[in-house]
Amino acid sequence: MTLSRQASYALLQCSGWGLLYVLLSLVIYTNPIFVTINLLYAAILVGSTALGSHLLRSIYRHKLQQAGVLRQAACLLFGSILIAVIATSLLVIVFFLISNTQYSFPIPESQRWFVIKRIFSSDFVSMLIAMWLWSALYFAVTKVRQLQQTTDLLQATQLDALLNQLQPHFLFNALNNIRALILEDPDKARDMLSILADMLRYNLDLRAGVKVPLAQELEVVQHYLALCSIQFEQRLRYQQQIPEACLALAVPRLLLQLCVENAIKHGISQLPAGGCIAISARITDNQLCLTVSNDGQLQPGTTGTGVGLANIRQRLDLLYQGRASLQLIQQQHQVLTEICLPMESLDESIAG
């Protein structure tokens, strides 16, 4: 039976902090001067730190999930220090309250500052180390989960692209037209078969990375449009305006291909006279901005939440943590799909 995410978190949280308490209890028990009340102090210290880590997780999930990596790490670091301070301060308060009862020896006024310094020099450091380890582990698990989600979404995108390409009518028309080209233009027919094979290979290649150079993505888009032109003939036109500086920048794999497929499916194919698809790129404020435009009109109620575009939005959120955006805009007789990504080279994206 597979545990839910919340159940897994609760199990790990209780097990981890419970193990820490057991270890502290063993240290207290093996001390030559064993005092039972120290087990209560250890429980207060570990319990308050565990509660603080749970609150820190809530803040991280609701306030910092979309922040950059450095900000997330800094907040977890300073949050750990704050929690260790609060837990140790709570221990000091409880210690002095109990010292005034019959369950403990009273602390002379001359020794109180020494006791406080002793608690902060040992228990504070111990809890700070524990919180830093917890933060590092939680941060690592979160990033691994996000990477897995990104991989799953990429596989879903691959399947979505394949479904669009291998729809019975598209595949039948493409192969039928290629068959006709064998008699009319054998060289072009061979080229089209090679293009179809290259596209399928690109979509099925599990070794490829999550991000690819823009130049590679544009090449695949051109292959896809070449196949579509067999069906649409003169009804499908294509323009491209990409500055040289943009070609080496990293973009999510299959990003443009899905946008172009969406433009053809909901735009060009709905127009009797066909239309034009144009792709342009620009660099603005350290962002790579891509625009896919097509002739046509947004359908009433359309907000860009179809399966393909919803998939793209989810991948952008996971890959860029809120630093990327996708918008659908109606501009006169054209529909614009505008995507803005942080500007990064492929090496930087792999390192990140």
Side-chain angles (χ1 to χ4, degrees):
M1 182 179 65
T2 303
L3 295 176
S4 65
R5 181 181 300 182
Q6 291 297 330
S8 299
Y9 164 76
L11 178 61
L12 291 174
Q13 183 82 341
C14 294
S15 300
W17 291 109
L19 178 60
L20 178 61
Y21 176 71
V22 170
L23 292 176
L24 287 179
S25 298
L26 289 175
V27 172
I28 293 172
Y29 185 77
T30 55
N31 193 299
I33 305 177
F34 170 69
V35 180
T36 306
I37 195 67
N38 287 340
L39 296 176
L40 174 62
Y41 295 148
I44 293 172
L45 184 65
V46 174
S48 57
T49 307
L51 178 61
S53 69
H54 178 70
L55 295 177
L56 182 61
R57 171 183 179 262
S58 299
I59 295 174
Y60 176 85
R61 291 184 63 196
H62 293 97
K63 302 295 183 181
L64 300 174
Q65 195 72 30
Q66 303 301 323
V69 174
L70 291 179
R71 184 181 176 189
Q72 291 176 344
C75 289
L76 287 174
L77 175 66
F78 291 110
S80 299
I81 296 175
L82 179 62
I83 290 171
V85 169
I86 293 175
T88 308
S89 300
L90 179 62
L91 175 61
V92 170
I93 294 173
V94 173
F95 177 80
F96 280 103
L97 287 176
I98 294 180
S99 67
N100 293 321
T101 68
Q102 59 180 341
Y103 300 102
S104 178
F105 295 104
I107 304 299
E109 186 173 351
S110 59
Q111 297 295 319
R112 290 179 181 178
W113 180 242
F114 171 79
V115 172
I116 293 175
K117 290 194 297 183
R118 183 65 181 270
I119 290 176
F120 270 92
S121 64
S122 59
D123 296 325
F124 168 75
V125 173
S126 298
M127 290 305 100
L128 181 59
I129 293 175
M131 276 302 306
W132 279 349
L133 291 175
W134 179 92
S135 299
L137 180 61
Y138 181 76
F139 194 72
V141 170
T142 300
K143 292 305 174 184
V144 169
R145 183 184 296 120
Q146 290 177 347
L147 179 61
Q148 183 61 49
Q149 290 174 335
T150 302
T151 302
D152 293 342
L153 282 170
L154 176 59
Q155 293 175 350
T157 304
Q158 292 171 332
L159 292 175
D160 187 59
L162 284 175
L163 288 174
N164 280 318
Q165 293 162 14
L166 298 181
Q167 286 175 354
H169 71 273
F170 172 82
L171 184 60
F172 175 79
N173 289 335
L175 293 178
N176 196 41
N177 287 317
I178 291 174
R179 184 182 64 177
L181 285 175
I182 292 175
L183 298 177
E184 298 177 6
D185 192 342
D187 292 336
K188 186 175 181 180
R190 284 194 296 269
D191 291 341
M192 291 299 149
L193 284 175
S194 297
I195 287 174
L196 181 59
D198 289 341
M199 289 193 63
L200 295 178
R201 187 180 302 112
Y202 180 79
N203 286 309
L204 289 171
D205 187 2
L206 299 179
R207 298 171 299 173
V210 174
K211 299 176 185 177
V212 297
L214 176 59
Q216 182 176 341
E217 185 75 4
L218 288 170
E219 182 180 356
V220 174
V221 167
Q222 292 167 3
H223 287 171
Y224 178 75
L225 289 171
L227 286 174
C228 290
S229 66
I230 301 176
Q231 175 186 353
F232 290 95
E233 298 180 342
Q234 302 302 318
R235 294 174 57 216
L236 177 60
R237 299 178 298 279
Y238 176 62
Q239 297 177 355
Q240 177 178 303
Q241 292 183 341
I242 309 294
E244 187 73 23
C246 297
L247 292 176
L249 298 180
V251 298
R253 190 163 173 255
L254 301 174
L255 174 72
L256 287 181
Q257 185 180 338
L258 278 178
C259 290
V260 170
E261 290 174 358
N262 187 73
I264 292 177
K265 180 179 179 182
H266 299 288
I268 305 301
S269 65
Q270 307 298 320
L271 302 175
C276 178
I277 289 180
I279 299 179
S280 62
R282 68 184 188 277
I283 296 175
T284 305
D285 297 331
N286 289 324
Q287 283 198 317
L288 172 63
C289 296
L290 303 169
T291 302
V292 178
S293 64
N294 63 274
D295 295 324
Q297 297 287 328
L298 284 175
Q299 299 299 320
T302 300
T303 58
T305 56
V307 174
L309 294 181
N311 186 291
I312 292 174
R313 280 198 171 96
Q314 292 179 52
R315 281 203 296 146
L316 292 179
D317 286 341
L318 288 170
L319 288 171
Y320 300 106
Q321 302 297 303
R323 295 176 291 133
S325 63
L326 182 150
Q327 296 183 39
L328 280 184
I329 302 172
Q330 181 71 56
Q331 189 176 85
Q332 296 181 350
H333 300 293
Q334 287 188 322
V335 178
L336 307 182
T337 303
E338 292 193 346
I339 302 171
C340 289
L341 314 169
M343 188 177 68
E344 58 184 9
S345 65
L346 191 60
D347 291 339
E348 290 173 339
S349 69
I350 293 174

